[in-house]
PDB file of all heavy atoms in Angstrom:
ATOM      1  N   ASP A  12       1.983-151.773  28.396  1.00 65.00           N
ATOM      2  CA  ASP A  12       1.664-151.929  27.133  1.00 65.00           C
ATOM      3  C   ASP A  12       3.001-151.596  26.251  1.00 65.00           C
ATOM      4  O   ASP A  12       3.344-152.276  25.254  1.00 65.00           O
ATOM      5  CB  ASP A  12       0.673-151.095  26.562  1.00 65.00           C
ATOM      6  CG  ASP A  12      -0.738-151.526  27.219  1.00 65.00           C
ATOM      7  OD1 ASP A  12      -0.898-152.650  27.646  1.00 65.00           O
ATOM      8  OD2 ASP A  12      -1.557-150.632  27.196  1.00 65.00           O
ATOM      9  N   PHE A  13       3.792-150.596  26.698  1.00 67.00           N
ATOM     10  CA  PHE A  13       4.982-150.234  25.900  1.00 67.00           C
ATOM     11  C   PHE A  13       5.942-151.491  25.938  1.00 67.00           C
ATOM     12  O   PHE A  13       6.601-151.711  24.895  1.00 67.00           O
ATOM     13  CB  PHE A  13       5.604-149.039  26.530  1.00 67.00           C
ATOM     14  CG  PHE A  13       6.913-148.589  25.810  1.00 67.00           C
ATOM     15  CD1 PHE A  13       6.869-148.084  24.655  1.00 67.00           C
ATOM     16  CD2 PHE A  13       8.170-148.896  26.511  1.00 67.00           C
ATOM     17  CE1 PHE A  13       8.097-147.772  23.979  1.00 67.00           C
ATOM     18  CE2 PHE A  13       9.303-148.562  25.775  1.00 67.00           C
ATOM     19  CZ  PHE A  13       9.305-148.068  24.589  1.00 67.00           C
ATOM     20  N   GLY A  14       6.105-152.069  27.086  1.00 67.00           N
ATOM     21  CA  GLY A  14       6.998-153.224  27.091  1.00 67.00           C
ATOM     22  C   GLY A  14       6.528-154.329  26.246  1.00 67.00           C
ATOM     23  O   GLY A  14       7.405-154.928  25.582  1.00 67.00           O
ATOM     24  N   ASP A  15       5.263-154.592  26.139  1.00 71.00           N
ATOM     25  CA  ASP A  15       4.747-155.630  25.252  1.00 71.00           C
ATOM     26  C   ASP A  15       5.003-155.246  23.794  1.00 71.00           C
ATOM     27  O   ASP A  15       5.451-156.103  22.909  1.00 71.00           O
ATOM     28  CB  ASP A  15       3.259-155.880  25.390  1.00 71.00           C
ATOM     29  CG  ASP A  15       2.931-156.481  26.837  1.00 71.00           C
ATOM     30  OD1 ASP A  15       3.862-157.019  27.458  1.00 71.00           O
ATOM     31  OD2 ASP A  15       1.871-156.398  27.231  1.00 71.00           O
ATOM     32  N   GLN A  16       4.779-154.000  23.537  1.00 74.00           N
ATOM     33  CA  GLN A  16       5.025-153.443  22.134  1.00 74.00           C
ATOM     34  C   GLN A  16       6.593-153.572  21.670  1.00 74.00           C
ATOM     35  O   GLN A  16       6.838-153.991  20.597  1.00 74.00           O
ATOM     36  CB  GLN A  16       4.608-152.065  21.981  1.00 74.00           C
ATOM     37  CG  GLN A  16       3.073-151.995  22.000  1.00 74.00           C
ATOM     38  CD  GLN A  16       2.552-150.440  22.016  1.00 74.00           C
ATOM     39  OE1 GLN A  16       3.365-149.586  22.065  1.00 74.00           O
ATOM     40  NE2 GLN A  16       1.254-150.257  21.914  1.00 74.00           N
ATOM     41  N   ALA A  17       7.319-153.290  22.613  1.00 75.00           N
ATOM     42  CA  ALA A  17       8.768-153.378  22.359  1.00 75.00           C
ATOM     43  C   ALA A  17       9.190-154.742  22.084  1.00 75.00           C
ATOM     44  O   ALA A  17       9.938-155.067  21.155  1.00 75.00           O
ATOM     45  CB  ALA A  17       9.544-152.761  23.533  1.00 75.00           C
ATOM     46  N   THR A  18       8.679-155.704  22.905  1.00 76.00           N
ATOM     47  CA  THR A  18       8.984-157.121  22.669  1.00 76.00           C
ATOM     48  C   THR A  18       8.658-157.611  21.349  1.00 76.00           C
ATOM     49  O   THR A  18       9.351-158.286  20.649  1.00 76.00           O
ATOM     50  CB  THR A  18       8.480-158.009  23.832  1.00 76.00           C
ATOM     51  OG1 THR A  18       8.829-157.516  25.168  1.00 76.00           O
ATOM     52  CG2 THR A  18       8.711-159.455  23.554  1.00 76.00           C
ATOM     53  N   GLU A  19       7.358-157.142  20.956  1.00 71.00           N
ATOM     54  CA  GLU A  19       6.831-157.589  19.598  1.00 71.00           C
ATOM     55  C   GLU A  19       7.549-157.002  18.528  1.00 71.00           C
ATOM     56  O   GLU A  19       7.841-157.613  17.533  1.00 71.00           O
ATOM     57  CB  GLU A  19       5.340-157.138  19.524  1.00 71.00           C
ATOM     58  CG  GLU A  19       4.371-157.964  20.415  1.00 71.00           C
ATOM     59  CD  GLU A  19       2.999-157.418  20.337  1.00 71.00           C
ATOM     60  OE1 GLU A  19       2.660-156.714  19.437  1.00 71.00           O
ATOM     61  OE2 GLU A  19       2.184-157.711  21.306  1.00 71.00           O
ATOM     62  N   PHE A  20       7.954-155.727  18.639  1.00 64.00           N
ATOM     63  CA  PHE A  20       8.789-154.967  17.673  1.00 64.00           C
ATOM     64  C   PHE A  20      10.061-155.779  17.406  1.00 64.00           C
ATOM     65  O   PHE A  20      10.528-155.984  16.328  1.00 64.00           O
ATOM     66  CB  PHE A  20       9.020-153.648  18.054  1.00 64.00           C
ATOM     67  CG  PHE A  20       9.927-152.763  17.131  1.00 64.00           C
ATOM     68  CD1 PHE A  20       9.355-152.255  15.931  1.00 64.00           C
ATOM     69  CD2 PHE A  20      11.270-152.660  17.303  1.00 64.00           C
ATOM     70  CE1 PHE A  20      10.155-151.648  15.037  1.00 64.00           C
ATOM     71  CE2 PHE A  20      12.160-152.026  16.428  1.00 64.00           C
ATOM     72  CZ  PHE A  20      11.515-151.349  15.329  1.00 64.00           C
ATOM     73  N   ILE A  21      10.854-156.098  18.587  1.00 71.00           N
ATOM     74  CA  ILE A  21      12.076-156.694  18.425  1.00 71.00           C
ATOM     75  C   ILE A  21      11.947-158.105  17.803  1.00 71.00           C
ATOM     76  O   ILE A  21      12.655-158.459  17.008  1.00 71.00           O
ATOM     77  CB  ILE A  21      12.769-156.866  19.854  1.00 71.00           C
ATOM     78  CG1 ILE A  21      13.147-155.475  20.369  1.00 71.00           C
ATOM     79  CG2 ILE A  21      13.944-157.795  19.797  1.00 71.00           C
ATOM     80  CD1 ILE A  21      13.499-155.425  21.773  1.00 71.00           C
ATOM     81  N   ALA A  22      10.990-158.864  18.203  1.00 68.00           N
ATOM     82  CA  ALA A  22      10.653-160.111  17.565  1.00 68.00           C
ATOM     83  C   ALA A  22      10.472-160.005  16.018  1.00 68.00           C
ATOM     84  O   ALA A  22      10.969-160.849  15.287  1.00 68.00           O
ATOM     85  CB  ALA A  22       9.482-160.866  18.226  1.00 68.00           C
ATOM     86  N   ARG A  23       9.681-159.028  15.680  1.00 64.00           N
ATOM     87  CA  ARG A  23       9.362-158.767  14.200  1.00 64.00           C
ATOM     88  C   ARG A  23      10.674-158.447  13.491  1.00 64.00           C
ATOM     89  O   ARG A  23      10.911-158.869  12.477  1.00 64.00           O
ATOM     90  CB  ARG A  23       8.256-157.700  14.180  1.00 64.00           C
ATOM     91  CG  ARG A  23       7.943-157.331  12.664  1.00 64.00           C
ATOM     92  CD  ARG A  23       7.076-158.462  12.138  1.00 64.00           C
ATOM     93  NE  ARG A  23       6.654-158.083  10.833  1.00 64.00           N
ATOM     94  CZ  ARG A  23       6.602-158.787   9.694  1.00 64.00           C
ATOM     95  NH1 ARG A  23       6.940-160.073   9.838  1.00 64.00           N
ATOM     96  NH2 ARG A  23       6.191-158.262   8.605  1.00 64.00           N
ATOM     97  N   ALA A  24      11.506-157.502  14.148  1.00 63.00           N
ATOM     98  CA  ALA A  24      12.661-157.140  13.469  1.00 63.00           C
ATOM     99  C   ALA A  24      13.602-158.226  13.256  1.00 63.00           C
ATOM    100  O   ALA A  24      14.341-158.509  12.212  1.00 63.00           O
ATOM    101  CB  ALA A  24      13.400-156.048  14.159  1.00 63.00           C
ATOM    102  N   GLN A  25      13.683-159.225  14.222  1.00 69.00           N
ATOM    103  CA  GLN A  25      14.611-160.388  14.097  1.00 69.00           C
ATOM    104  C   GLN A  25      13.917-161.382  13.035  1.00 69.00           C
ATOM    105  O   GLN A  25      14.649-161.928  12.208  1.00 69.00           O
ATOM    106  CB  GLN A  25      14.555-161.127  15.420  1.00 69.00           C
ATOM    107  CG  GLN A  25      15.388-160.436  16.399  1.00 69.00           C
ATOM    108  CD  GLN A  25      15.299-161.003  17.864  1.00 69.00           C
ATOM    109  OE1 GLN A  25      14.357-161.764  18.178  1.00 69.00           O
ATOM    110  NE2 GLN A  25      16.348-160.611  18.680  1.00 69.00           N
ATOM    111  N   GLN A  26      12.648-161.413  12.916  1.00 69.00           N
ATOM    112  CA  GLN A  26      12.021-162.283  11.934  1.00 69.00           C
ATOM    113  C   GLN A  26      12.294-161.752  10.546  1.00 69.00           C
ATOM    114  O   GLN A  26      12.742-162.574   9.716  1.00 69.00           O
ATOM    115  CB  GLN A  26      10.456-162.281  12.150  1.00 69.00           C
ATOM    116  CG  GLN A  26       9.732-163.027  11.066  1.00 69.00           C
ATOM    117  CD  GLN A  26       8.248-162.767  11.133  1.00 69.00           C
ATOM    118  OE1 GLN A  26       7.844-161.840  11.784  1.00 69.00           O
ATOM    119  NE2 GLN A  26       7.433-163.546  10.547  1.00 69.00           N
ATOM    120  N   LEU A  27      12.314-160.446  10.372  1.00 65.00           N
ATOM    121  CA  LEU A  27      12.505-159.973   9.076  1.00 65.00           C
ATOM    122  C   LEU A  27      13.937-159.955   8.714  1.00 65.00           C
ATOM    123  O   LEU A  27      14.375-160.223   7.570  1.00 65.00           O
ATOM    124  CB  LEU A  27      12.087-158.446   8.923  1.00 65.00           C
ATOM    125  CG  LEU A  27      10.477-158.402   9.125  1.00 65.00           C
ATOM    126  CD1 LEU A  27      10.152-156.776   9.137  1.00 65.00           C
ATOM    127  CD2 LEU A  27       9.707-159.031   7.966  1.00 65.00           C
ATOM    128  N   ALA A  28      14.876-159.639   9.649  1.00 70.00           N
ATOM    129  CA  ALA A  28      16.299-159.840   9.374  1.00 70.00           C
ATOM    130  C   ALA A  28      16.687-161.296   9.028  1.00 70.00           C
ATOM    131  O   ALA A  28      17.625-161.540   8.151  1.00 70.00           O
ATOM    132  CB  ALA A  28      17.035-159.395  10.652  1.00 70.00           C
ATOM    133  N   ALA A  29      16.056-162.248   9.543  1.00 75.00           N
ATOM    134  CA  ALA A  29      16.294-163.720   9.224  1.00 75.00           C
ATOM    135  C   ALA A  29      16.070-163.967   7.751  1.00 75.00           C
ATOM    136  O   ALA A  29      16.493-164.973   7.230  1.00 75.00           O
ATOM    137  CB  ALA A  29      15.452-164.657  10.091  1.00 75.00           C
ATOM    138  N   LEU A  30      15.248-163.106   7.047  1.00 77.00           N
ATOM    139  CA  LEU A  30      14.885-163.361   5.603  1.00 77.00           C
ATOM    140  C   LEU A  30      16.164-163.088   4.773  1.00 77.00           C
ATOM    141  O   LEU A  30      16.268-163.511   3.664  1.00 77.00           O
ATOM    142  CB  LEU A  30      13.784-162.472   5.289  1.00 77.00           C
ATOM    143  CG  LEU A  30      12.312-162.791   5.777  1.00 77.00           C
ATOM    144  CD1 LEU A  30      11.314-161.728   5.392  1.00 77.00           C
ATOM    145  CD2 LEU A  30      11.892-164.223   5.326  1.00 77.00           C
ATOM    146  N   GLY A  31      17.111-162.209   5.302  1.00 79.00           N
ATOM    147  CA  GLY A  31      18.358-161.991   4.579  1.00 79.00           C
ATOM    148  C   GLY A  31      18.097-161.199   3.366  1.00 79.00           C
ATOM    149  O   GLY A  31      18.834-161.310   2.373  1.00 79.00           O
TER     150      GLY A  31
END
Side-chain angles (χ1 to χ4, degrees):
D12 292 337
F13 177 75
D15 291 343
Q16 290 173 353
T18 301
E19 290 174 21
F20 177 82
I21 291 167
R23 179 73 172 139
Q25 290 172 336
Q26 173 192 16
L27 296 178
L30 293 174

